[in-house]
């Protein structure tokens, strides 16, 4: 029996049993969906959330799969699909008031990333400069206040 395989135009990577709740991971996934791979990696590195680190690892893995297994161009890849689903959960005891205890569930989740070649669905993000960079640029652009008055005096005369 011969199996015929057709070339894939996408690359996929899955992270199973990530130690984070699926709803927390979904917020990061919604932010990254539709971006180019470079933009998504940059956004993951700038985001403080724990899920961003996990997404970055899976996107890097999917990009490596695309280049090595499917011969796709790494520069043209974008995040076509990214989603998180429920995994297992662990039951833990939580002690509450009046000597009682309740069962809490610690959730795990699965993260799936699918990359495709083509034009990204989202435009590039605009990074805002920090306050120090803006202040330094303003200081370079405008001369000192004494020089400004001297420059205006001859113009009036």
């Amino acid at each position: 029996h011969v199996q015929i395989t057709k070339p894939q135009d996408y690359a996929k990577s899955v992270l199973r049993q990530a130690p984070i709740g699926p709803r927390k991971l979904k917020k990061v996934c919604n932010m990254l969906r539709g971006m180019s791979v470079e933009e998504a990696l940059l956004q993951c590195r700038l985001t403080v959330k724990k899920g961003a680190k996990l997404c970055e690892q899976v996107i890097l893995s999917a990009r490596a799969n695309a280049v090595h297994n499917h011969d796709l161009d790494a520069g043209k890849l974008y995040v076509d699909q990214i989603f998180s689903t429920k995994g297992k959960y662990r039951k833990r005891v939580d002690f509450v008031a009046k000597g009682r205890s309740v069962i809490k569930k610690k959730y795990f989740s699965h993260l799936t990333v699918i990359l495709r070649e083509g034009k990204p669905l989202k435009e590039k993000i605009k990074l805002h400069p920090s306050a120090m960079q803006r202040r330094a640029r303003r200081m370079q652009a405008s001369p000192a206040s004494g020089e400004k008055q001297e420059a205006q005096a001859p113009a009036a005369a």
Side-chain angles (χ1 to χ4, degrees):
H1 183 264
V2 177
Q3 186 175 10
I4 299 171
T5 58
K6 54 184 178 180
Q8 288 184 340
D9 62 337
Y10 68 91
K12 180 179 177 181
S13 183
V14 181
L15 174 66
R16 302 259 182 217
Q17 302 300 340
I20 187 172
R23 286 197 294 186
K24 290 181 180 180
L25 199 54
K26 183 181 177 184
K27 290 181 180 180
V28 181
C29 292
N30 291 341
M31 177 178 66
L32 300 176
R33 192 174 293 116
M35 288 184 177
S36 69
V37 171
E38 289 78 19
E39 288 289 317
L41 290 172
L42 179 65
Q43 191 69 12
C44 285
R45 289 181 185 128
L46 293 176
T47 306
V48 185
K49 294 184 176 292
K50 177 183 175 182
K53 234 177 221 182
L54 298 170
C55 287
E56 181 184 0
Q57 291 173 353
V58 180
I59 290 172
L60 286 171
S61 175
R63 183 174 71 178
N65 289 344
V67 172
H68 295 293
N69 301 342
H70 306 295
D71 296 327
L72 299 176
D73 184 17
K76 296 179 182 177
L77 292 174
Y78 74 97
V79 181
D80 183 41
Q81 296 177 34
I82 181 169
F83 54 89
S84 65
T85 52
K86 278 187 181 179
K88 293 181 181 178
Y89 59 86
R90 291 187 180 154
K91 292 182 179 179
R92 293 287 178 255
V93 179
D94 185 28
F95 300 102
V96 292
K98 297 184 181 180
R100 293 177 296 153
S101 60
V102 294
I103 301 288
K104 275 196 172 177
K105 294 177 182 176
K106 298 288 185 182
Y107 286 99
F108 289 78
S109 54
H110 308 309
L111 177 62
T112 306
V113 174
I114 296 177
L115 304 180
R116 286 190 189 274
E117 263 187 345
K119 187 180 175 193
L121 305 175
K122 282 187 182 176
E123 294 299 318
K124 286 195 169 188
I125 56 173
K126 202 174 220 183
L127 296 175
H128 297 289
S130 68
M132 292 296 290
Q133 290 172 335
R134 286 189 302 235
R135 190 175 300 137
R137 197 176 317 136
R138 205 169 34 232
M139 295 297 279
Q140 290 173 353
S142 67
S145 59
E147 295 172 13
K148 190 183 264 187
Q149 291 172 353
E150 290 174 13
Q152 289 177 353

